[in-house]
Amino acid sequence: MEDYQRKRYVAAASTLSKKLERRNFQPIICQNLLEAREQAMKIIDPDKSVGFGGSITIEQSGVIEELYKRGQKIIDRERTKSPEERHQVMKQALLSDYFLTSINGITEEGELVNIDSVGNRVAALTYGPDKVLAFVSMRKVYGDLTATVEMVRKNTAPLNAHRLGLQKTPCIKKGLCGDCLQTECICNTLVITRRSMAKDRIVIFLIIDEVGL
């Protein structure tokens, strides 16, 4: 990343942090994924359970591996052996003490925008786990609410569709969102979190580096 871009993200993160705090979120500015991981490890009680949603940013951070190394109880859908078992484990994760996730987009006013396929990730964000730790790059701050929803639907979702190897949706065939109702559609639930009811329940690691999708 160019130095001028980093300086711009740092300034924007400082401004955004104040707006997130007014919405009862707990922002923590991190220079990179390693710093975000280290902060998360400090926050998570070793004796508590941890669940997580599908996220490239979480994968890139290596936080799950570090938690396993210290013997953390992890509710891990990736270690299941059947769709039925996976479904049950995803439900259990909604009652974990901590939930790790990413955010698809943030508005300049501090609203969180997420789009989900099954809905487990956004369900955990809105209610269930006592603490949610969200990893998000500053490059996902897109502007006002309309612009952010559009970017999440027309940019992030198609990228995830290609990452997941889908076959039939318009974003696969044409590279563009077609507002489809296909069986494979991963844009089933759109959630806007404008404020956290419980103060500091949702910790947001604002990462200066450009990471994730």
Side-chain angles (χ1 to χ4, degrees), residues 49-113:
S49 62
V50 178
F52 61 93
S55 164
I56 287 293
T57 310
I58 295 296
E59 290 178 15
Q60 292 174 342
S61 75
V63 65
I64 303 299
E65 290 84 352
E66 290 301 307
L67 288 169
Y68 268 118
K69 286 179 184 178
R70 78 174 187 187
Q72 196 85 38
K73 178 184 177 182
I74 301 180
I75 303 171
D76 191 345
R77 67 181 188 177
E78 301 304 327
R79 297 196 173 190
T80 57
K81 298 179 180 178
S82 69
E84 294 76 18
E85 183 185 3
R86 184 181 177 89
H87 175 63
Q88 291 303 316
V89 169
M90 288 166 67
K91 288 171 65 176
Q92 292 170 23
L94 299 179
L95 296 177
S96 60
D97 298 303
Y98 299 88
F99 191 86
L100 306 178
T101 186
S102 58
I103 302 295
N104 294 137
I106 303 182
T107 73
E108 290 178 344
E109 293 302 314
E111 299 148 304
L112 314 182
V113 177

Side-chain angles (χ1 to χ4, degrees), residues 8-180:
R8 183 239 168 187
Y9 281 155
V10 169
S14 178
T15 300
L16 180 60
S17 289
K18 297 179 179 65
K19 295 179 179 180
L20 289 167
E21 287 173 353
R22 288 201 292 268
R23 295 177 181 273
N24 273 355
F25 302 122
Q26 182 185 350
I28 298 176
I29 299 174
C30 302
Q31 293 299 313
N32 49 50
L33 271 176
L34 176 59
E35 185 179 343
R37 185 181 79 194
E38 290 174 346
Q39 291 287 342
M41 295 295 289
K42 291 178 183 177
I43 292 172
I44 298 171
D45 186 331
D47 296 323
K48 301 290 186 178
S49 62
V50 178
F52 61 93
S55 164
I56 287 293
T57 310
I58 295 296
E59 290 178 15
Q60 292 174 342
S61 75
V63 65
I64 303 299
E65 290 84 352
E66 290 301 307
L67 288 169
Y68 268 118
K69 286 179 184 178
R70 78 174 187 187
Q72 196 85 38
K73 178 184 177 182
I74 301 180
I75 303 171
D76 191 345
R77 67 181 188 177
E78 301 304 327
R79 297 196 173 190
T80 57
K81 298 179 180 178
S82 69
E84 294 76 18
E85 183 185 3
R86 184 181 177 89
H87 175 63
Q88 291 303 316
V89 169
M90 288 166 67
K91 288 171 65 176
Q92 292 170 23
L94 299 179
L95 296 177
S96 60
D97 298 303
Y98 299 88
F99 191 86
L100 306 178
T101 186
S102 58
I103 302 295
N104 294 137
I106 303 182
T107 73
E108 290 178 344
E109 293 302 314
E111 299 148 304
L112 314 182
V113 177
N114 285 284
I115 201 159
D116 210 358
S117 175
V118 177
N120 63 298
R121 182 171 60 90
V122 293
L125 178 71
T126 57
Y127 187 79
D130 294 331
K131 201 85 168 177
V132 175
L133 307 184
F135 292 59
V136 59
S137 172
M138 279 301 298
R139 73 177 177 86
K140 292 188 179 181
V141 181
Y142 294 124
D144 64 12
L145 183 57
T146 299
T148 302
V149 170
E150 184 173 15
M151 283 296 293
V152 168
R153 292 201 64 191
K154 295 186 177 181
N155 182 65
T156 307
L159 285 172
N160 273 313
H162 281 272
R163 176 178 66 86
L164 295 170
L166 304 188
Q167 300 293 325
K168 300 179 180 179
T169 61
C171 59
I172 291 295
K173 294 182 176 180
K174 300 180 180 180
L176 301 170
C177 175
D179 195 27
C180 76

